[in-house]
Amino acid sequence: MTQSNKPLRGIIPPMATPMSTPDTLDVEGLNRLIEHLIGGGVNGIFVLGTTGEAPSHSYELRQQLLEKACEFVNGRVPILVGITDTSAVEAVNFAKLAKNAGAYGLVCAPPFYFRPTQSELLEFMLHLADNVPLPLYVYNMPSLTNVAFAVDTTLKALEHPNIHGVKDSGGNMVYFHALRQALKGRKDKSLFIGPEEMLAEALLLGADGGVPGGGNACPGLYAELFKTATAGDLKKTVELQANIMALSKAIYSCGEYGSSFLKGVKCVLEELGVCKALPAAPLKPVSDAERRRISDAFAKLNFPPAWTGAAVAAK
Amino acid sequence: MTQSNKPLRGIIPPMATPMSTPDTLDVEGLNRLIEHLIGGGVNGIFVLGTTGEAPSHSYELRQQLLEKACEFVNGRVPILVGITDTSAVEAVNFAKLAKNAGAYGLVCAPPFYFRPTQSELLEFMLHLADNVPLPLYVYNMPSLTNVAFAVDTTLKALEHPNIHGVKDSGGNMVYFHALRQALKGRKDKSLFIGPEEMLAEALLLGADGGVPGGGNACPGLYAELFKTATAGDLKKTVELQANIMALSKAIYSCGEYGSSFLKGVKCVLEELGVCKALPAAPLKPVSDAERRRISDAFAKLNFPPAWTGAAVAAK
Amino acid sequence: MTQSNKPLRGIIPPMATPMSTPDTLDVEGLNRLIEHLIGGGVNGIFVLGTTGEAPSHSYELRQQLLEKACEFVNGRVPILVGITDTSAVEAVNFAKLAKNAGAYGLVCAPPFYFRPTQSELLEFMLHLADNVPLPLYVYNMPSLTNVAFAVDTTLKALEHPNIHGVKDSGGNMVYFHALRQALKGRKDKSLFIGPEEMLAEALLLGADGGVPGGGNACPGLYAELFKTATAGDLKKTVELQANIMALSKAIYSCGEYGSSFLKGVKCVLEELGVCKALPAAPLKPVSDAERRRISDAFAKLNFPPAWTGAAVAAK
Amino acid sequence: MTQSNKPLRGIIPPMATPMSTPDTLDVEGLNRLIEHLIGGGVNGIFVLGTTGEAPSHSYELRQQLLEKACEFVNGRVPILVGITDTSAVEAVNFAKLAKNAGAYGLVCAPPFYFRPTQSELLEFMLHLADNVPLPLYVYNMPSLTNVAFAVDTTLKALEHPNIHGVKDSGGNMVYFHALRQALKGRKDKSLFIGPEEMLAEALLLGADGGVPGGGNACPGLYAELFKTATAGDLKKTVELQANIMALSKAIYSCGEYGSSFLKGVKCVLEELGVCKALPAAPLKPVSDAERRRISDAFAKLNFPPAWTGAAVAAK
């Protein structure tokens, strides 16, 4: 973070939510996962996002996760909290809990039942920005919210002083690069890429960081790529990205897109001794055969402990 | 209901939620709306569905609406309660509140953030059916939940003794008629059509009832069509349906599809003196010009008081 | 046709194209199929539509089919010809061939590579209407052309004197009924329903006819339903429609939607001795097991010869 | 091309088709455009693709364009020819014309009326590969063909000796990078990126070239970026890409996505004196106001003649 005045930069994994049962938080697993992430050198942690399966959890569990995560992290890295909700009232309520728990900022995708128009989307974000007590980041996630932020809408939202940046998980690099060009040189606004398949190129071309799901499993790999990419080391970055692609191929084929992310990540976390491979309802648990297939594929990658944080898990 | 042993049959409007402010329930308006509906001869009331804007309301407001509605209806007609949620835990929690409040049954659409596969969808519905304390109705609403129940999935769900029927708002009549054929002669399962544009044909061909949004405004019109259609009076039914199409054309053009329903219905309710034309956030309120346009279009229909319940509103 | 001045009315099956090889017309099969259809009492024949697999055929084969069909029909019923094309020039060229061959009218869906806006769609249709030498019918087929005619666009197109009606295969009955209401009482414009699952309701509520794919297999069944529905015999119409649903369930499950229609229809035609079950490339031929499954399912329906035209095939 | 044994590499613009009228080729404009492209240093020319508006042209015009382009290019750079068609027979027919005219290779997207399954898609491509007389390149263009090649399908197709590579215009970089990883080190297969917004990253990470629509207008800019990117000059490549983004923003906002490409490119070509800003039917011509807006935006970019080839146009 020495290269920039920006408060938020680098690798901020969307943390998986360790579960003891389909609706009980695994508190010890959470502690291990947080140590695993911080030990791997991440620059922040994003809780209760898509990979955190926030919409599937009860509000009670969401609050418990939030408070325990803030307690365990204890200020070592900034915590971003997903407040995405169909109800603006509930989103603002949860933002207040996040402030009380000591979180750094908030991430919010569009309301995802009724389809807002672009003007309704802007109005919704500005309403939140006015009413939440922490910095707000816009979360573009059209494959699950069924509405994509237009470039213009995003740029208008970013004019609000309490909207500090964008996490783009849309996978549409035309949108991403339009934002990137428009925000070039802006010290007060940050741009993060979601899909790790585009992490290298996003960073090489000037994005501020990434929110890679695979960062749950191998935080050190992503942290290293962030360093090489921001140092302009093209050759090394391309090599590291090839490892990310290999990881992605090995573990993200566990069911259909969307749940494949969640399930594959949790299988590796189980393999590493961090927490169980148990998704929240309504997703089904992974079969033993599938878990074994993923463990084997992961083992074959033969990643060094600096990437997988195996030392932490071995404790 | 004399023609059938089925406990639930006929016109069950998806009740709009009267609002005093974007996040405050209009309790008096609610009372007037319930009298308006029962006075018009509806066979049941469905609260907290899509037209009720349930996903946009806080849980506190949802609970308040549920309890007040049950109190005001006071057993005169059965009340169905929407429990659609992305979290199975929250759906079951709300089902228990519905039971305590005295509701008759529950309606649940698929979880709508992560996209379930058909087998996950079935599992979700069976999980709910096992865990909720009231009869459950499956709610097919693919345009907003982004997943459509397959015919097979629906029929498998209907084998559960606590799944009592289907409300199909998908607008895909190939699906609807496949269900209709499969359920022919089943006394214990009910089939309701959502879109009122297909109400006449659904009833003429043997559906058990409809859940028409326009039933909020003109309950008597829909109740009359239900009688003529179930009596096999083709000519009269086609005539009444033409009035429904005219109503639809007059009032459902208020913004884009989805919100047009909500907004148009509430404009007419304001015109009839029932409640204000105020949608829940994140939808924007209707402009004065738009409200006037709809009032004028509605006035030109010149519907009789038996359809619009004008006497009730005049009180 | 005695009940109306309309030149085109009733059951007009979208004729399958009998093939000897994946790119050779089966001329004798075509002759048998035409006798089968006319013998079953259809009111017209629509060649080179979706069920006719027009886009998969070479232009040479399309022309051969057109000319042979006109020769074999020899004026006994009107022939409609699909001229749908991505190129307006080619569409007009084919329309001229249709005129020369003696066809009655033309059917055209939107150009289906570039996505036209509604105004471009209207302009395209008006351009064709001005330049083709036969009556033109608009073909709404959004599932394959990826653009749906809006109600307004359709009504504006219908103001052109050479646009004589609409074939709606969209399956969206909200659109269909909006058109139906708007065209009520118009003697010079016709409205046809595509999907046979909605044939009964379309006719009962006042449509002019249907273009059912299953009419290839059982023309007599559809012709009979047309008579009962237009006579207002609700009970009999519902019974006949149940048979159509049973046919649909038996034969249209042969592969995925779209190709299931084509393949299922051709399997039954083979069973009836009319032509081979051979789809045009790029669709794959049906497996023997699948063909047998469909033959068995069809046999179990035990339809009378008046519906299946078995006598014709037995010749 | 000295860095690789691959026969096809670098910038291969999808050539716009100059028109005198909506259905007449502008032969002189074509000659000027080809000189403009070759003068700008492109490595090949792709005729009759999406930017070439192939599906909108009559077959006669397509053949004329093909033959004139080959004549004017006269072997100076390789010519790729789009043979995308709904009919496999017509695609093979056109491939033979391309061979006769002297083209280098063929590009084919999926058949785009009926939706093929992945296995049908593979079968279609292998059928073509077996039957066309020139090297075949797979064209992934899901936004217009409505079917996306899966990674597995693409890799299976690439096992055919006559399938030499892929042009990916899908914009889904997850797909693109999966292919890129799989083809790494393969001397006999080429990977090209379509959308120029991702040109820099594709080349930096190892793609063989790009097919940028903007290469019609400013061939020199793209040719220069290809050189800096393949030389590993990250800083210069990012700067050049910023100019491509500026060009894209200036000229591709002329109507909706899809037609915006076509129309914006042709407006700049008119401004440069190459050919008229006339799209093929069914697209509407650009208004004078829109053309002026684009001319002004383009002028403000103040690109050097080495990029715009202004000298050629000034002749």
Side-chain angles (χ1 to χ4, degrees), chain B residues 33-44:
Chain B
L33 179 51
I34 285 171
E35 294 310 314
H36 175 65
L37 296 177
I38 294 179
V42 303
N43 306 95

Side-chain angles (χ1 to χ4, degrees), chain A:
Chain A
M1 288 201 233
T2 54
Q3 300 149 297
S4 159
N5 294 324
K6 292 193 191 181
L8 210 62
R9 216 165 153 261
I11 300 300
I12 304 174
M15 194 181 73
T17 300
M19 307 295 285
S20 298
T21 75
D23 53 11
T24 320
L25 183 65
D26 172 6
V27 177
E28 293 182 15
L30 174 64
N31 199 352
R32 280 191 299 270
L33 178 51
I34 285 171
E35 295 310 312
H36 175 65
L37 297 177
I38 295 179
V42 304
N43 306 95
I45 295 177
F46 169 35
V47 303
L48 293 171
T50 301
T51 306
E53 300 170 276
S56 303
H57 297 309
S58 70
Y59 284 82
E60 199 182 318
L61 193 149
R62 293 181 215 181
Q63 182 173 355
Q64 188 192 5
L65 181 282
L66 162 67
E67 291 171 353
K68 283 292 171 192
C70 288
E71 180 192 327
F72 293 154
V73 168
N74 196 21
R76 287 177 288 172
V77 294
I79 292 187
L80 291 179
V81 181
I83 59 167
T84 303
D85 208 292
T86 57
S87 160
V89 179
E90 296 293 354
V92 171
N93 286 348
F94 207 80
K96 288 172 187 166
L97 297 178
K99 163 83 173 175
N100 292 344
Y104 169 82
L106 308 166
V107 178
C108 194
F112 52 98
Y113 187 75
F114 296 113
R115 303 285 159 76
T117 60
Q118 291 294 316
S119 64
E120 286 169 337
L121 198 47
L122 179 58
E123 206 167 79
F124 183 83
M125 284 296 155
L126 297 179
H127 170 80
L128 287 190
D130 280 340
N131 286 282
V132 295
L134 290 173
L136 181 63
Y137 292 80
V138 165
Y139 184 3
N140 188 41
M141 184 44 143
S143 66
L144 294 178
T145 64
N146 301 298
V147 57
F149 280 91
V151 173
D152 278 359
T153 306
T154 316
L155 293 177
K156 277 180 203 152
L158 284 163
E159 289 173 13
H160 192 289
N162 196 34
I163 295 186
H164 291 245
V166 176
K167 182 207 162 185
D168 177 26
S169 293
N172 173 354
M173 295 305 277
V174 176
Y175 169 83
F176 183 83
H177 289 308
L179 278 192
R180 188 178 55 72
Q181 283 296 121
L183 296 179
K184 206 187 282 185
R186 288 289 296 266
K187 297 281 185 216
D188 55 335
K189 306 288 175 184
S190 300
L191 179 59
F192 295 89
I193 184 85
E196 56 206 87
E197 289 86 350
M198 284 84 102
L199 182 59
E201 63 210 71
L203 295 174
L204 287 170
L205 275 84
D208 296 298
V211 187
N216 280 281
C218 304
L221 167 58
Y222 297 81
E224 190 176 334
L225 185 142
F226 179 69
K227 282 178 199 144
T228 63
T230 50
D233 184 342
L234 175 60
K235 190 161 168 292
K236 186 72 185 152
T237 301
V238 171
E239 279 171 29
L240 290 168
Q241 182 68 25
N243 284 291
I244 290 177
M245 293 302 291
L247 176 65
S248 163
K249 194 178 165 188
I251 72 174
Y252 290 163
S253 53
C254 184
E256 294 183 82
Y257 184 81
S259 72
S260 66
F261 253 78
L262 307 171
K263 290 179 177 177
V265 160
K266 282 192 166 174
C267 284
V268 175
L269 289 176
E270 180 166 305
E271 177 71 13
L272 293 172
V274 175
C275 63
K276 285 202 283 186
L278 193 62
L283 290 177
K284 291 200 248 184
V286 173
S287 71
D288 283 352
E290 216 164 2
R291 199 154 53 217
R292 234 170 300 124
R293 193 176 56 71
I294 288 182
S295 296
D296 290 351
F298 183 68
K300 271 185 202 144
L301 293 174
N302 203 21
F303 280 174
W307 290 355
T308 62
V312 170
K315 280 195 299 197

Side-chain angles (χ1 to χ4, degrees), chain D residues 229-289:
Chain D
T230 49
D233 184 344
L234 176 60
K235 189 160 170 294
K236 186 70 186 156
T237 301
V238 172
E239 280 171 30
L240 289 168
Q241 182 68 25
N243 284 292
I244 289 177
M245 294 300 292
L247 176 65
S248 163
K249 194 178 166 187
I251 72 173
Y252 289 164
S253 52
C254 184
E256 295 183 81
Y257 184 82
S259 73
S260 66
F261 254 77
L262 307 172
K263 289 179 176 176
V265 160
K266 283 194 164 172
C267 284
V268 174
L269 289 175
E270 180 165 307
E271 177 70 13
L272 293 171
V274 176
C275 64
K276 284 202 283 185
L278 192 62
L283 291 176
K284 292 200 248 183
V286 174
S287 70
D288 283 352

Side-chain angles (χ1 to χ4, degrees), chain D residues 15 56-57 64 77 82 147 179 203 208 236 239 273 280 286 291:
Chain D
M15 194 181 73
S56 304
H57 297 308
Q64 187 192 6
V77 295
V147 58
L179 278 193
L203 295 174
D208 296 297
K236 186 70 186 156
E239 280 171 30
V286 174
R291 200 154 54 216

